[in-house]
Amino acid sequence: MIKIYHNPRCGKSREGLKIVEESKKDFEIIKYLENLPTKEELGSIINLLGINSEDLLRKNEAIWKENYRGKSLSNDEILDAMLAHPKLIERPIVVNGSKAIIGRPPEKIKSIL
């Protein structure tokens, strides 16, 4: 089943959700700010995306700038930061089986539906 990691307050995430809805396929909405993924789940998503943990960060968030910018962090420490402050996780993320994509721009989501 398709999963979309969604933040309803984010315009790009809402656009991504609309694309998934229009596909008419079964999907699950995961409001990741309320229902945090586990560290293992987040690591698995990163592996499916084929990126490193730093590439999933929203580095323009104030939380990042105030607490982490300029520090040398391991992948594990970056995961911990994202789980402590889920606003740091880029969105939306769509997972379809063994494929995943960050919906920036949202139209990229169509490639895995």
Side-chain angles (χ1 to χ4, degrees), residues 91-109:
R91 71 253 178 177
I93 302 166
V94 177
V95 177
N96 187 1
S98 63
K99 300 182 223 168
I101 199 157
I102 299 170
R104 296 259 175 189
E107 295 76 29
K108 289 175 71 176
I109 293 169

Side-chain angles (χ1 to χ4, degrees), residues 9 37 39 52-53 55 60 69 85 91 93 103 108 113:
R9 297 187 66 191
K39 193 172 191 174
N52 64 49
S53 56
D55 294 332
N60 287 327
R69 184 173 57 187
H85 309 283
R91 71 253 178 177
I93 302 166
K108 289 175 71 176
L113 297 176

Side-chain angles (χ1 to χ4, degrees), residues 15-108:
E15 286 179 47
L17 177 59
K18 185 177 179 188
I19 290 168
V20 173
E21 288 171 337
E22 289 172 351
S23 77
K24 305 290 188 211
K25 296 181 180 180
D26 289 338
F27 68 94
E28 175 184 3
I29 299 170
I30 299 166
K31 294 180 182 175
Y32 68 91
L33 295 177
E34 299 168 13
N35 299 307
L36 280 176
T38 65
K39 193 172 191 174
E40 292 76 22
E41 288 171 323
L42 193 54
S44 176
I45 291 166
I46 289 167
N47 286 336
L48 288 175
L49 289 166
I51 61 175
N52 64 49
S53 56
E54 190 172 353
D55 294 332
L56 193 59
L57 278 171
R58 295 176 54 83
K59 292 182 180 176
N60 287 327
E61 292 287 339
I63 295 166
W64 179 260
K65 291 177 181 178
E66 293 165 8
N67 297 296
Y68 302 101
R69 184 173 57 187
K71 295 181 179 178
S72 179
L73 301 174
S74 68
N75 278 337
D76 203 48
E77 290 169 323
I78 292 171
L79 286 174
D80 289 339
M82 286 191 280
L83 293 171
H85 309 283
K87 282 180 71 175
L88 293 175
I89 301 172
E90 190 60 81
R91 71 253 178 177
I93 302 166
V94 177
V95 177
N96 187 1
S98 63
K99 300 182 223 168
I101 199 157
I102 299 170
R104 296 259 175 189
E107 295 76 29
K108 289 175 71 176

